[in-house]
Amino acid sequence: MRYCYISRNYHNPKSAGGKAKSDIEDILQKMGAHNLGWKRTCYKNKIIEFIQNLSGVIKAALSVHKGDVVVLQYPIKKYLKFLCWATHFSGGKVVAVIHDLGAFRSKRITSQEEANRLQGADVIICHNEKMKQILLDMGITRPLVCLGIFDYLGGICQDKDMAQESGEHSVYFMGQLASSSNQFIYNLSALLKTTTFHLFGNKFEQELLPTDCTTSYHGFAVDMDIIQDPPAEFGLSWYGESLTFGKGKIGEYMSINNPHKVSLYLRCGTPVILWKHAGLAEFVDREQCGLLVDSLENLDDQLNTLTKEQISSMCANARRVGSLIAKGHYFETAFRKAISLL
């Protein structure tokens, strides 16, 4: 049995999608998998990217051998059905790894259209139990394996306990800082009094911050630098406008999704702050590597109710999980389980 994957062009390999997919390629390569496509590239020109990816798909379809197990990272535009057909025609099997569900994130396709695409795979690796149930409700009949959490390769993490004394807590957020995408940042900044809030990313709007707030902007940060020197006690995974979350399509999607940002925070050895109904909440609760909240409206008080010993325990668990994330443990485990179901 030969394990195979199709490397692609990632015009932004450090984005969440590009990093997650290239990490899975690297884990598969470490497991001895064969790349059926072209060598990974990072062309930013969209025309070159299209040609590179399309020709790689065609090359892969012509390269499948009988007995091959081909890993396809979904979404893969409109190529999934074709690649599943080509793999099965050649006597191979397909394991689809879900990164995003368009029927829930962008809503550009219906759940039925998405289910029809995914049904072409022989086994599907999804994010978590909540996403698994959604897929079952959509009519998916293929075997489903839960990933647990995305891996995050690279970087050197210090074995450092970030726990602080009560009343001296700190939180950091990495990502899109524009109010049009994440108004919650500025709403939260107006409420925090005893917690320092560190921001890293693009499109920061200084004029929206209260003059006496505890929020600090540090510009765009390279992930490997953050891993080596975590800037705060907790990493915050939150999106949109609301401090109570769960509203609109973003809240709906986050209830089934595994944000790549959480993997980065845990890779840094820092516990996460997460909505208690998020897709990753069960994982964080089981591993005791973060704080689950209904709302950010009383974040100061919620952090101040924790003892330094409790936070130290969370930090230790975050470092433990982070060391597994750094090794590709979660995808490799899910993939081996998927292979056993073929």
Side-chain angles (χ1 to χ4, degrees), residues 255-281:
S255 68
I256 63 170
N257 184 50
N258 282 6
H260 201 233
K261 191 192 312 289
V262 175
S263 298
L264 173 57
Y265 292 151
L266 294 174
R267 176 70 188 94
C268 295
T270 49
V272 298
I273 297 173
L274 193 66
W275 182 42
K276 70 182 296 184
H277 301 294
L280 268 174

Side-chain angles (χ1 to χ4, degrees), residues 152-262:
Y152 207 106
L153 308 186
I156 300 172
C157 182
Q158 298 182 17
D159 189 11
K160 183 179 180 182
D161 187 340
M162 300 294 293
Q164 299 173 28
E165 298 292 345
S166 181
E168 300 177 358
H169 299 297
S170 59
V171 173
Y172 69 111
F173 175 86
M174 297 181 67
Q176 174 63 255
L177 304 180
S179 60
S180 59
S181 301
N182 284 319
Q183 175 63 38
F184 88 87
I185 292 169
Y186 305 94
N187 297 339
L188 178 60
S189 295
L191 297 178
L192 293 176
K193 302 301 179 185
T194 62
T195 303
T196 306
F197 192 20
H198 300 281
L199 300 176
F200 299 86
N202 295 319
K203 299 185 179 181
F204 175 64
E205 299 172 56
Q206 177 72 49
E207 66 278 7
L208 296 183
L209 286 184
T211 55
D212 60 345
C213 70
T214 60
T215 300
S216 300
Y217 174 57
H218 303 278
F220 181 80
V222 177
D223 54 354
M224 297 305 154
D225 291 342
I226 294 293
I227 290 171
Q228 186 169 7
D229 188 19
E233 194 175 30
F234 287 88
L236 175 62
S237 179
W238 210 267
Y239 300 87
E241 176 183 358
S242 175
L243 294 177
T244 56
F245 214 46
K247 296 182 179 179
K249 68 179 183 181
I250 292 179
E252 179 185 349
Y253 188 56
M254 288 304 108
S255 68
I256 63 170
N257 184 50
N258 282 6
H260 201 233
K261 191 192 312 289
V262 175

Side-chain angles (χ1 to χ4, degrees), residues 1 33 40 46-47 62 72 78 106 120 126 157-158 169 171 188 222 248 255 258 296 304 321:
M1 181 183 293
R40 187 191 308 160
K46 290 187 177 181
I47 295 176
L62 297 172
L72 299 179
K78 297 180 180 179
S106 63
C126 62
C157 182
Q158 298 182 17
H169 299 297
V171 173
L188 178 60
V222 177
S255 68
N258 282 6
L296 296 178
N304 285 328
V321 172

Side-chain angles (χ1 to χ4, degrees), residues 28-66:
L28 285 166
Q29 187 178 52
K30 184 186 71 172
M31 295 175 68
H34 179 71
N35 177 19
L36 298 179
W38 303 118
K39 183 179 179 181
R40 187 191 308 160
T41 54
C42 300
Y43 297 122
K44 297 189 181 296
N45 184 288
K46 290 187 177 181
I47 295 176
I48 296 176
E49 179 183 25
F50 172 77
I51 294 171
Q52 182 80 2
N53 286 338
L54 176 59
S55 62
V57 164
I58 295 171
K59 177 180 181 294
L62 297 172
S63 304
V64 180
H65 297 164
K66 184 177 181 179

